[in-house]
Amino acid sequence: MLFDGKKAIGVEYLRKGKLEQVYARKEVILSAGAVQSPQLLMLSGVGPQEHLTEMGIEVVQHNAHVGQHLQDHLGVDFLYKCKVPTLNDELHSAFGKLWAGLKFIFLRKGPCRLSVNQGGGFVRSSPDKDQPDLQLYFSPVSYTRAPAKTRPLMNPDPFSAFLIGYSNCRVKSEGEIRLASKDPLAAPVIDPKYFSHEDDIKLMLEGSKLMRKLAQTEAFKDIITEEIRPGKEMDSDEALIKDIHSYAWTVFHASCTCRMGPDADQSVVDPRLRVHGLENLRVVDASIMPFMVSGNTNAPTIMIGEKGSDLILEDHR
Ligand SMILES: Cc1cc2nc3c(=O)[nH]c(=O)nc-3n(C[C@H](O)[C@H](O)[C@H](O)COP(=O)(O)OP(=O)(O)OC[C@H]3O[C@@H](n4cnc5c(N)ncnc54)[C@H](O)[C@@H]3O)c2cc1C
């Protein structure tokens, strides 16, 4: 972002390796998502003074909350071998994949036109909770996840199996986005600090126990032949917690890193999504959530976009 004092006046960007600038007649709208919106603010001199100075960036506006309060949902899957055919049987072989692709292209039918999660819901981890705090997933498929730092294609297992899983709805841990360097092409540091609040691991443990309870219901019990993951040897709270720590992974719902609030000392943008302390600069994306929504983030982010566009039009009428 380019500033004239405290006023955002345009942006600078690379095109075909050449640095170019474009100037805004009315305002600059930052909409780069919960990882890159705070990164771009910090690179432009808006963020925690100490961190910017350490990175050698001139401070335009100090705000300790830029990049802070990062929240995300975490998911855990339980995989079960079963007696009935699942999508594994249809999709494991190369021919099966080809057939599914052709069926979709020519008939608009088959597994490719379905969501991978074919069932789900929201439940309370215990009756004393006044709101649902776990989101559930069911997929008639199982696959072994790609090892860390590699990205091979996921392949359904060569036997009939399915997965049930959960993610935590009300996250309390907060992480942060920091700059690794003042180079705009360098990735920022994403430090999610998962489970830094002890309530989060307690809730995940309830989720893992619930998966086992579900597997014992009439509907599942008679078709399950084996728990593939985490495995029946993981039968104590301690073992399940260890499994959660090693297996739980992001549901890709990063948010809250430029959070909205009326108080400039507590938030990054005001209720009209304007960056506190600056003129003509708004943030409109998942980063402005004051705290994490309890379910999927895509639709709420679209609503943020819709509301943001109304605010922009109102302010420039
Ligand atoms: C793999 C994955 C699966 C997901 N699945 C689901 C799901 O099933 N359901 C659900 O509800 N949500 C899902 N989400 C979450 C959902 O996609 C996000 O919450 C939502 O897209 C956030 O919108 P956003 O506008 O804040 O950010 P984004 O959608 O990330 O948009 C930011 C845009 O800014 C661009 N950008 C960033 N930096 C720069 C730069 N320096 N210059 C130019 N452009 C830049 C990016 O390319 C991107 O287009 C998923 C996310 C991922 C990553």
Side-chain angles (χ1 to χ4, degrees):
M1 258 89 57
L2 301 169
F3 291 95
D4 179 5
K6 299 273 180 188
K7 192 197 268 187
I9 53 168
V11 294
E12 195 167 62
Y13 58 97
L14 272 176
R15 186 157 68 167
K16 295 182 183 159
K18 219 173 120 227
L19 202 55
E20 296 185 358
Q21 297 180 332
V22 64
Y23 291 91
R25 255 176 288 168
K26 297 197 186 277
E27 63 175 69
V28 174
I29 299 158
L30 177 58
S31 195
V35 173
Q36 268 134 335
S37 281
Q39 182 195 16
L40 289 174
L41 281 178
M42 289 189 273
L43 287 170
S44 311
V46 182
Q49 185 160 10
E50 210 178 310
H51 180 48
L52 299 187
T53 310
E54 180 196 10
M55 288 289 136
I57 295 168
E58 198 182 321
V59 179
V60 174
Q61 176 67 31
H62 165 66
N63 186 313
H65 298 277
V66 174
Q68 297 300 304
H69 315 293
L70 169 65
Q71 292 204 304
D72 190 9
H73 294 128
L74 276 173
V76 167
D77 299 327
F78 276 51
L79 310 185
Y80 291 97
K81 263 192 190 172
C82 62
K83 292 178 201 161
V84 294
T86 66
L87 283 183
N88 285 7
D89 304 273
E90 224 174 302
L91 293 176
H92 175 69
S93 69
F95 176 75
K97 290 185 192 77
L98 179 69
W99 181 232
L102 292 173
K103 246 196 312 202
F104 175 70
I105 292 167
F106 293 108
L107 304 170
R108 287 284 183 267
K109 285 193 169 148
C112 295
R113 66 183 282 271
L114 298 170
S115 161
V116 67
N117 293 310
Q118 296 192 5
F122 289 87
V123 292
R124 288 178 291 162
S125 57
S126 66
D128 56 300
K129 295 275 165 69
D130 50 0
Q131 288 172 313
D133 53 4
L134 289 170
Q135 182 168 354
L136 304 184
Y137 306 83
F138 165 77
S139 305
V141 67
S142 73
Y143 42 82
T144 310
R145 196 178 293 156
K149 299 191 177 165
T150 61
R151 205 182 171 196
L153 286 175
M154 286 182 182
N155 203 17
D157 290 321
F159 43 76
S160 307
F162 65 88
L163 74 79
I164 51 179
Y166 67 90
S167 60
N168 49 359
C169 294
R170 298 176 196 285
V171 179
K172 294 190 180 168
S173 302
E174 291 188 357
E176 64 176 5
I177 304 290
R178 296 187 301 274
L179 295 178
S181 131
K182 68 188 230 183
D183 174 2
L185 300 180
V189 177
I190 304 171
D191 185 356
K193 299 187 184 157
Y194 294 128
F195 304 128
S196 49
H197 195 294
E198 62 175 340
D199 286 357
D200 286 352
I201 192 75
K202 284 187 197 156
L203 176 60
M204 297 293 278
L205 177 62
E206 294 309 315
S208 286
K209 289 180 176 174
L210 179 65
M211 296 302 101
R212 289 256 167 83
K213 248 194 234 170
L214 279 178
Q216 282 305 310
T217 56
E218 285 302 315
F220 282 134
K221 196 169 70 182
D222 293 340
I223 60 163
I224 290 176
T225 56
E226 186 191 333
E227 183 178 292
I228 315 170
R229 210 217 75 73
K232 64 178 188 309
E233 65 286 358
M234 298 274 194
D235 59 354
S236 64
D237 285 5
E238 205 184 14
L240 286 174
I241 288 175
K242 204 169 155 203
D243 174 65
I244 293 163
H245 276 295
S246 63
Y247 183 88
W249 77 337
T250 173
V251 188
F252 302 109
H253 288 172
S255 47
C256 310
T257 50
C258 299
R259 75 180 181 187
M260 174 180 65
D263 185 349
D265 291 334
Q266 292 297 319
S267 55
V268 176
V269 298
D270 72 8
R272 299 190 72 79
L273 308 183
R274 297 168 300 202
V275 177
H276 287 299
L278 296 168
E279 286 170 61
N280 295 357
L281 179 58
R282 239 183 267 252
V283 183
V284 188
D285 58 31
S287 72
I288 65 94
M289 291 184 192
F291 48 84
M292 185 67 164
V293 293
S294 56
N296 290 31
T297 46
N298 196 49
T301 309
I302 291 170
M303 288 165 64
I304 290 167
E306 293 285 345
K307 179 68 184 174
S309 65
D310 286 350
L311 296 174
I312 293 161
L313 287 173
E314 275 169 24
D315 287 354
H316 292 290
R317 227 163 243 154

